[in-house]
Amino acid sequence: MTRFRMTDWSGALALGILALMLSAPAEAGCRIGFDVGSSGVRVGAANSAAQARTSIDYLADVWADNRIDTSVEPTIRAFATLPAEAGLPDGCDSVAGGYSAWRLAMERGNPAEVAEALRLIHARTGVALYVIPQDVEGTYGFYAARQALGDRLRDPYILDIGGGSMQIASIHTGWGAALGQKAWRKTYCHDGKGSDVAACVLNPVGPEAMALASKLLAREVASARAALGPLEQATAVSAPLVKTMHPVIRYLAGQGRIPVDGVGETSFTIGALEATIRVLMDKDDDALLRYLDNCPELAGRAICTPSFLPTLVSDMLMAHAFMAGLGIRRLELAEASITNVPGLLADTRAWGWRDRYECYLSRLADQGVRAFKSAPATCPR
């Protein structure tokens, strides 16, 4: 059975974060950033909490033909309409970062075609959209988490799982892979369930699921451990863990269906996660909903939504594989609106390339994703 390839990066992030902090202007002025993720576009601005978002399935676009093509026009519309929806002023300088889906299009398709798509978007909107390297995205994630959480960020590492990629990052080092929720589901469907359908039926995952997930993720976990070393604790900041996984674990502990040891208001241990997987692994989607009592409220919020149940247990399997492989005994949870916008707006390379965008596109076609990390000053204006 052929495995899907999940690329990863690792390396020191200290210099990247330090450069980001030192180069961030004290007054950014009227600047807007677009976070173009695997499943949509989010807009934000410097010195403003205003945001707006629209859904665009970039990963589905790339998986169809290894290109970013059908999502180009929706991207142009998003760039044109989202600032007004967020109540942001007209005429601001704008930049955008494209992440996991755009990197995948570069890897699987033709970099020159990606550059042409970006050139078209820029011509129609005036927005300079860059394909951001995975390590730079990790830098942005930690920067945003520290900005949003402040003293609540008690652990040196954050764990962020998106739709198309995941990052584990600190001020000193980091690791990431093209292994978000959607990408992991596709891999598990193909290699674990023998299905070529990207969104196949995963549940029930079965009694051997933890061993299978550990096997499927062995290369990525080994890569993360080589980059990070053993960890004892980390802080998860992404919605799959904070808004669904942890509330489900807390609810089951409160109902006496798993041991209460290891389950806190803002954390859970690997033992609590294993116990939860064991009571859920034999259930299909309908049985999961019944077992979870139709997703009741806990602390004023539903513990789950039916639409997320098809991937609940598989998400737990991925979290468990990395916790076990890295030695993380306890995972702290911190709810925050983490986007790549603050890091992008603070990154002087984004503004340097904005004034030399045609040169950036030429380098992108020639050098690939690493073009963003080259020096804009070496290009003519």
Side-chain angles (χ1 to χ4, degrees):
M1 192 176 292
T2 303
R3 253 195 99 190
F4 284 101
R5 180 169 176 259
M6 295 177 283
T7 57
D8 58 48
W9 61 268
S10 61
L13 293 182
L15 293 178
I17 293 177
L18 185 61
L20 207 66
M21 294 171 61
L22 294 179
S23 62
E27 285 294 334
C30 183
R31 288 182 165 182
I32 288 176
F34 295 92
D35 182 345
V36 187
S38 63
S39 57
V41 180
R42 189 188 304 270
V43 69
N47 305 320
S48 173
Q51 294 186 11
R53 185 187 184 281
T54 189
S55 296
I56 302 172
D57 197 339
Y58 290 100
L59 276 181
D61 186 9
V62 178
W63 285 343
D65 57 6
N66 295 327
R67 296 176 174 179
I68 295 280
D69 45 20
T70 61
S71 54
V72 168
E73 287 297 328
T75 302
I76 290 171
R77 289 194 295 271
F79 287 178
T81 60
L82 282 180
E85 291 181 21
L88 298 173
D90 295 330
C92 293
D93 295 333
S94 302
V95 290
Y99 300 94
S100 57
W102 296 82
R103 291 191 295 263
L104 188 62
M106 291 286 294
E107 176 187 329
R108 293 188 175 184
N110 185 338
E113 288 185 354
V114 175
E116 281 303 312
L118 299 184
R119 185 174 284 111
L120 172 61
I121 292 170
H122 182 258
R124 297 269 297 276
T125 66
V127 178
L129 172 57
Y130 312 108
V131 182
I132 303 297
Q134 180 94 62
D135 58 339
V136 177
E137 182 181 1
T139 301
Y140 291 173
F142 190 88
Y143 183 86
R146 187 166 58 182
Q147 185 181 76
L149 297 172
D151 292 340
R152 289 187 295 150
L153 184 58
R154 297 188 294 268
D155 296 311
Y157 286 89
I158 63 162
L159 169 62
D160 186 14
I161 300 176
S165 64
M166 70 175 292
Q167 285 79 227
I168 305 173
S170 77
I171 195 169
H172 300 296
T173 189
W175 173 91
L179 191 63
Q181 276 185 297
K182 294 180 180 179
W184 167 235
R185 182 178 187 176
K186 184 176 183 180
T187 297
Y188 197 89
C189 284
H190 188 272
D191 298 337
K193 293 285 188 176
S195 173
D196 289 328
V197 178
C200 74
V201 176
L202 295 172
N203 296 316
V205 296
E208 304 301 323
M210 280 190 279
L212 175 60
S214 295
K215 179 180 178 180
L216 295 179
L217 293 169
R219 185 178 70 86
E220 287 72 28
V221 170
S223 173
R225 191 175 180 92
L228 305 172
L231 309 179
E232 291 186 3
Q233 197 160 299
T235 295
V237 296
S238 48
L241 290 100
V242 176
K243 294 184 177 181
T244 300
M245 198 179 302
H246 181 231
V248 165
I249 293 171
R250 285 186 65 197
Y251 179 76
L252 293 178
Q255 295 296 309
R257 300 175 194 174
I258 64 170
V260 297
D261 293 343
V263 182
E265 290 188 6
T266 62
S267 67
F268 61 81
T269 64
I270 189 171
L273 180 58
E274 289 174 356
T276 302
I277 293 171
R278 288 193 181 98
V279 299
L280 300 180
M281 62 174 47
D282 63 340
K283 296 169 177 60
D284 62 18
D285 293 352
D286 291 337
L288 278 175
L289 186 59
R290 291 193 299 271
Y291 189 74
L292 295 175
D293 301 322
N294 295 304
C295 297
E297 288 192 356
L298 178 67
R301 176 186 294 171
I303 65 169
C304 56
T305 58
S307 61
F308 284 101
L309 290 182
T311 59
L312 171 63
V313 186
S314 63
D315 289 345
M316 290 180 172
L317 292 171
M318 179 166 64
H320 176 267
F322 277 92
M323 288 181 72
L326 294 176
I328 299 174
R329 311 315 300 169
R330 178 179 294 273
L331 199 61
E332 291 288 330
L333 291 302
E335 184 171 355
S337 178
I338 304 297
T339 79
N340 292 311
V341 169
L344 178 69
L345 291 176
D347 194 337
T348 55
R349 291 169 297 191
W351 302 103
W353 282 125
R354 184 176 179 271
D355 296 332
R356 301 168 174 84
Y357 193 59
E358 188 57 40
C359 181
Y360 166 75
L361 295 178
S362 297
R363 287 192 183 178
L364 183 71
D366 181 53
Q367 300 178 12
V369 175
R370 69 180 185 276
F372 183 79
K373 296 169 69 174
S374 64
T378 58
C379 288
R381 284 184 178 270

